[in-house]
Amino acid sequence: MLQRLFSLLLTLIGVVTLVFFLIHLIPGDPVEAMLGDSARVADREALRHKLGLDQPLAVQYSDYIKSILQLDLGTSLRNQQSVSSLLLERLPATAWLAFAALLIAVTIAVPLGVIAARRQGSAWDTGAMMVSLFGVSMPNFWLGPMLILLFSLWLGWTPVSGMESFWSIILPAVTLGASLAAVLARMVRSSLLETLGEDYVRTALAKGLDESTVVWRHALRNAMLPVITLLGLQLGALLGGAVITETVFSWPGIGSLMVEAIQQRDYPVVQGCVLLIALIYVLVNAGTDLVYRMVDPRIALTGEE
């Protein structure tokens, strides 16, 4: 656990450092974005001094690291609101979207992968993999507008954007979960095919156990280890995709907040958003080992069998 904690801290420090210097390389001046082009030079310099942007980059980085160590993410340059409060305000919307997308992905992927594995080489298998290929091939920035055109503008079944009601979550969740469902379905099929060839599965079938029982209660559980690994790794992609999806659907989450902050050159908010996403990603990957232990007790927490 100490090794994992140390690794987590190194990862977060690396993310903070990389984002800090990259964002300062982006063309544009936050002072100009706040005051406009018509502002006087004296006013710009006064605001730049007030925000500490006239300090050398090394000094700004040192001050930022000290603030993070004190659990202070800083203050928004745009509205002078605490970055922590902004993140807490937007986090529930992103968490709700990610949970809904993950639920949709698993609900689609597991049955689809099982059907493809049990009917290997059949039309069911081909159809399932074609659906999976279709899901992988559609980027979020294309699928989202297409779903809006079909279900919101033409059919009028769902809201176009925003977080107005429960039905507002449907299109963003489907958009975000489609590619994950496609990848998971292929992994479930591949892993289950390998598991179905094991001796204990053939023995259970030879003893007369029902095929569905053997597949769903025995083989699938052992086949889920690679799937859990993929879920942990894909969570980062899920959060990254949420940035695009939230922008397309005007979803008030962390992703749209980060895009707004980038457009406004609001450095502390961008850094806070990326740091939060990185923290969630690292924690989920660390928690994946604990899920391994629940699924297969033979695996130790150290990752050694």
Side-chain angles (χ1 to χ4, degrees):
M1 293 301 294
L2 290 176
Q3 289 179 345
R4 290 176 185 169
L5 180 60
F6 182 70
S7 176
L8 184 148
L9 291 176
L10 284 180
T11 302
L12 293 180
I13 291 175
V15 169
V16 169
T17 302
L18 185 62
V19 172
F20 178 87
F21 287 104
L22 284 179
I23 197 173
H24 281 79
L25 293 176
I26 297 176
D29 186 354
V31 173
E32 290 185 4
M34 296 169 66
L35 297 181
D37 297 333
S38 59
R40 297 183 303 175
V41 175
D43 293 335
R44 294 181 184 177
E45 293 302 323
L47 181 58
R48 186 172 286 107
H49 178 73
K50 179 182 177 180
L51 299 176
L53 297 177
D54 58 343
Q55 297 289 332
L57 200 59
V59 175
Q60 295 183 45
Y61 174 73
S62 176
D63 292 340
Y64 185 64
I65 293 296
K66 291 177 182 177
S67 299
I68 289 181
L69 293 177
Q70 297 172 2
L71 302 181
D72 179 13
L73 297 179
T75 304
S76 170
L77 301 180
R78 190 71 180 179
N79 54 25
Q80 298 302 304
Q81 186 176 350
S82 169
V83 174
S84 299
S85 63
L86 284 173
L87 295 178
L88 290 175
E89 181 182 326
R90 298 290 193 101
L91 182 59
T94 296
W96 172 228
L97 176 60
F99 173 78
L102 187 62
L103 183 63
I104 289 176
V106 173
T107 303
I108 295 174
V110 174
L112 199 63
V114 171
I115 291 174
R118 294 181 63 182
R119 302 290 185 267
Q120 182 184 13
S122 67
W124 286 99
D125 185 15
T126 303
M129 291 302 97
M130 286 295 295
V131 171
S132 175
L133 180 62
F134 185 65
V136 172
S137 304
M138 295 184 299
N140 293 356
F141 60 82
W142 180 86
L143 179 59
M146 293 300 102
L147 293 178
I148 291 175
L149 283 175
L150 178 59
F151 293 101
S152 299
L153 299 181
W154 294 348
L155 299 177
W157 291 355
T158 59
V160 175
S161 61
M163 196 176 175
E164 301 174 358
S165 64
F166 172 79
W167 305 108
S168 301
I169 190 68
I170 296 177
L171 295 187
V174 171
T175 301
L176 189 57
S179 59
L180 179 58
V183 175
L184 286 179
R186 287 179 172 272
M187 178 59 73
V188 170
R189 176 186 180 274
S190 175
S191 182
L192 188 57
L193 281 174
E194 183 178 348
T195 305
L196 290 176
E198 297 290 340
D199 292 338
Y200 74 91
V201 174
R202 290 195 294 266
T203 301
L205 293 173
K207 289 183 176 180
L209 289 180
D210 181 67
E211 182 182 356
S212 297
T213 302
V214 173
V215 170
W216 289 99
R217 294 188 58 182
H218 301 286
L220 184 60
R221 179 174 180 178
N222 288 282
M224 287 302 290
L225 287 176
V227 178
I228 293 173
T229 303
L230 183 63
L231 277 174
L233 295 175
Q234 287 294 315
L235 181 64
L238 196 68
L239 294 175
V243 175
I244 300 174
T245 303
E246 289 181 4
T247 303
V248 171
F249 290 94
S250 298
W251 189 261
I254 299 294
S256 58
L257 175 64
M258 184 164 64
V259 172
E260 295 168 5
I262 292 173
Q263 294 172 343
Q264 298 168 357
R265 303 299 186 271
D266 198 339
Y267 299 154
V269 175
V270 176
Q271 292 162 353
C273 291
V274 175
L275 181 61
L276 178 61
I277 292 175
L279 178 62
I280 295 174
Y281 182 72
V282 172
L283 289 177
V284 168
N285 277 279
T288 302
D289 292 337
L290 301 178
V291 179
Y292 281 173
R293 183 63 177 264
M294 295 172 59
V295 175
D296 190 347
R298 296 172 300 175
I299 298 179
L301 290 177
T302 58
E304 299 177 356
E305 295 186 2

